[in-house]
Amino acid sequence: MARDRQATEKKILHAVGNLLAREGFQRFGINAVARKARVDKVLIYRYFGGMPDLLRAYAETGTYWPTVEEVAGGDPEKLRGKPLHETVATLLCNFARAIRKRPVTLEILAWETIERNELAKVLEKVREDFSKDLSRVFVDGKDVAAGELATVVSLLTAGINYIAVRSRKVGRYGDVNIRSEEGWKRLESAILTICERCIGSREAA
């Protein structure tokens, strides 16, 4: 029985991701999820509660957004021992790789740029919590201008998200092939340079 429930939950959450990627938030609802998953909507309420809880469960599966361990390369403690600018650059580059492996997530992020409602805010909260967890693990307790660091990281993260989303439809951004590994290696090199100059210089001061 428990195995049947797990299989049904997995099918429901898979339907959530597919619907959001295809339709966005305006047509998203319990009935649509039930039809897509081919289950009775009563089961969705029983297993997940209302729509916000269903979205939150989807966002926390790890298929939507990477985990702290994933962007840390599987070894957060080892990464913590590096200079802060290296740590931040590694996290950002790993984040870029992780987000590019999630085509459904890229579609959802694209919808979020044109649709804003309470459901979108649930997924946004999951991403905000992820950022806070990263800061708590890798930044808290270090002698750094937290506000300035947060601004640099926010700018770079926004750039990564935008270029990754754009790569769904466009092959190049400027002279960078954003659909190729070579192009993303160039972007990662730029991330490292920015982190060295904006964060590394502060560490050396």
Side-chain angles (χ1 to χ4, degrees), residues 168-184:
R168 295 154 43 254
K169 306 291 184 182
V170 178
R172 304 188 74 82
Y173 192 77
D175 69 341
V176 180
N177 184 336
I178 56 178
R179 288 184 178 172
S180 71
E181 290 303 317
E182 179 185 358
W184 278 92

Side-chain angles (χ1 to χ4, degrees), residues 9 13-14 55-65 67 102:
E9 288 181 351
L13 294 174
H14 184 70
L55 267 183
R56 194 171 296 110
Y58 167 70
E60 292 174 352
T61 61
T63 58
Y64 168 69
W65 207 248
T67 63
R102 291 168 164 82

Side-chain angles (χ1 to χ4, degrees), residues 1-117:
M1 185 70 72
R3 185 177 301 173
D4 289 343
R5 172 167 177 166
Q6 288 178 355
T8 301
E9 288 181 351
K10 185 176 180 179
K11 185 163 60 171
I12 291 169
L13 294 174
H14 184 70
V16 169
N18 283 343
L19 279 172
L20 285 174
R22 191 183 68 194
E23 304 286 349
F25 294 92
Q26 296 302 322
R27 299 181 184 179
F28 186 77
I30 293 291
N31 289 333
V33 174
R35 285 194 299 270
K36 183 69 176 177
R38 297 183 179 180
V39 301
D40 192 313
K41 68 179 181 181
V42 172
L43 285 178
I44 298 177
Y45 285 110
R46 182 183 302 164
Y47 293 165
F48 298 100
M51 185 60 71
D53 289 331
L54 175 61
L55 267 183
R56 194 171 296 110
Y58 167 70
E60 292 174 352
T61 61
T63 58
Y64 168 69
W65 207 248
T67 63
V68 170
E69 185 174 30
E70 182 178 357
V71 298
D75 193 345
E77 284 305 314
K78 180 179 179 180
L79 191 57
R80 274 177 57 86
K82 294 185 176 182
L84 184 60
H85 73 277
E86 281 187 42
T87 298
V88 173
T90 300
L91 291 171
L92 288 168
C93 290
N94 286 345
F95 170 76
R97 295 167 194 163
I99 207 72
R100 289 171 57 221
K101 291 190 299 185
R102 291 168 164 82
V104 171
T105 297
L106 295 181
E107 294 295 330
I108 294 171
L109 290 175
W111 279 111
E112 284 191 35
T113 64
I114 58 175
E115 295 182 358
R116 291 290 299 159
N117 59 20

Side-chain angles (χ1 to χ4, degrees), residues 118-180:
E118 293 304 313
L119 295 180
K121 291 179 182 178
V122 173
L123 297 183
E124 190 174 85
K125 176 66 164 53
V126 170
R127 300 197 300 270
E128 289 174 354
D129 289 344
F130 164 81
S131 297
K132 290 177 182 177
D133 287 342
L134 279 181
S135 180
R136 175 180 52 78
V137 173
F138 295 104
V139 179
D140 287 1
K142 292 185 180 290
D143 186 17
V144 14
E148 185 175 339
L149 175 61
T151 302
V152 171
V153 171
S154 294
L155 182 61
L156 290 172
T157 303
I160 290 168
N161 285 344
Y162 176 76
I163 294 173
V165 168
R166 192 170 176 83
S167 70
R168 295 154 43 254
K169 306 291 184 182
V170 178
R172 304 188 74 82
Y173 192 77
D175 69 341
V176 180
N177 184 336
I178 56 178
R179 288 184 178 172
S180 71

